[in-house]
Amino acid sequence: MPSMPHSSDPDDQSPSPGEQPNWLVSTLLVLACLAVVASGWGVARLAVGDSPHPFDTTDTPESPFPRPGAAGADPEDAGAYVETAAELVEGSSAFHITFRVYDADGDAPADTSPTGTEPYTSGRGQAVYASGADPEFDHTFTTAEDRSVYRYDMGGGQLMMTADRGLELLDPPSTADRYLCSRDFGSAKLREVLDTSTDLALAGPEEVPLERAGLRDTHSAYRYTGTFTTMLGGYDSESESNTLTIVEDAGFELWIDERGYPRRLDYRAANGVGESYEYHSFS
């Protein structure tokens, strides 16, 4: 796992016992207090050097629909808004994505979904990117049987993975290696929507919930629907290699928030194969 950069507040420095601030310091303190009252805690946080909340915890105010989004894109222009989302992911210095993979309906164990309404989850994983970290990109997938595949981009195009055997340098990398082991994974599904969907359309504004590590966030977003052709990543234990499977005519729902960032993507093909992606944070 790459270590995410973090910062700490400087140590508090107290005046020595008996020391009294002079009139200039007192005046500045009064002005600072007035600024806090007038402008809110945002000013105070900046004054003490506290880092802003991650993007995923920023509350987005309600706004009339529709309105121009990030980079001037209009949410009603579905193609332009999805393009904006892809560009924002590709321009981020860090992101965190979690995902689930669903098997075909016929492959689900009989006792997986007693009600018959829940898809069978064949595995889940996460993808973390942080520019300058070691590794820069970390993609982990664990099957329902607790078999794991770890994929890495060490930077400079050096891709690696480990599964049934030790850490392996992927040289030269295959198309599947480049898809699953590099930061391009972050925007791959958005690019596939743009490249293959002929019925991409705005459905309307909607609140979209996200969950990770026991935390639940809700974001104001625009929901888009349509069908597309996508690539489903996998691992072949016999050849010990990454794989890609084409999934055609998959119906999808895509939520993009009011700032233009993707938040969730769900897709399922007619046979039940599909995935769910949740985009948690960007910087």
Side-chain angles (χ1 to χ4, degrees), residues 40-55:
W41 280 109
V43 173
R45 292 175 62 254
L46 292 174
V48 299
D50 192 10
S51 59
H53 287 301
F55 180 71

Side-chain angles (χ1 to χ4, degrees), residues 113-118:
S113 176
T115 64
T117 59
E118 294 296 327

Side-chain angles (χ1 to χ4, degrees), residues 166-217:
L167 193 63
E168 175 187 4
L169 175 64
L170 303 173
D171 186 23
S174 67
T175 299
D177 296 336
R178 289 190 293 269
Y179 188 102
L180 296 169
C181 302
S182 75
R183 65 161 297 171
D184 292 344
F185 179 85
S187 62
K189 290 291 180 281
L190 301 173
R191 290 295 175 191
E192 289 164 354
V193 167
L194 289 169
D195 292 342
T196 67
S197 180
T198 59
D199 55 355
L200 170 65
L202 173 65
E206 191 171 289
E207 296 293 309
V208 56
L210 305 180
E211 293 186 13
R212 58 167 174 165
L215 300 177
R216 185 180 178 90
D217 297 321

Side-chain angles (χ1 to χ4, degrees), residues 65-130:
F65 174 80
R67 68 173 180 80
D74 188 334
E76 287 193 330
D77 187 343
Y81 212 63
V82 175
E83 176 70 32
T84 292
E87 291 177 352
L88 286 173
V89 175
E90 292 162 357
S92 296
S93 60
F95 59 71
H96 179 203
I97 301 170
T98 58
F99 62 95
R100 295 183 181 186
V101 179
Y102 305 121
D103 264 357
D105 293 334
D107 296 335
D111 59 350
T112 298
S113 176
T115 64
T117 59
E118 294 296 327
Y120 169 58
T121 302
S122 63
R124 64 188 65 205
Q126 69 172 357
V128 179
Y129 170 74

Side-chain angles (χ1 to χ4, degrees), residues 199 226-230 247-252 266-270 273-274:
D199 55 355
T227 56
F228 77 141
T229 297
T230 185
V247 180
E248 297 181 314
D249 298 324
F252 69 84
D266 296 333
Y267 77 86
R268 298 293 295 279
V273 169

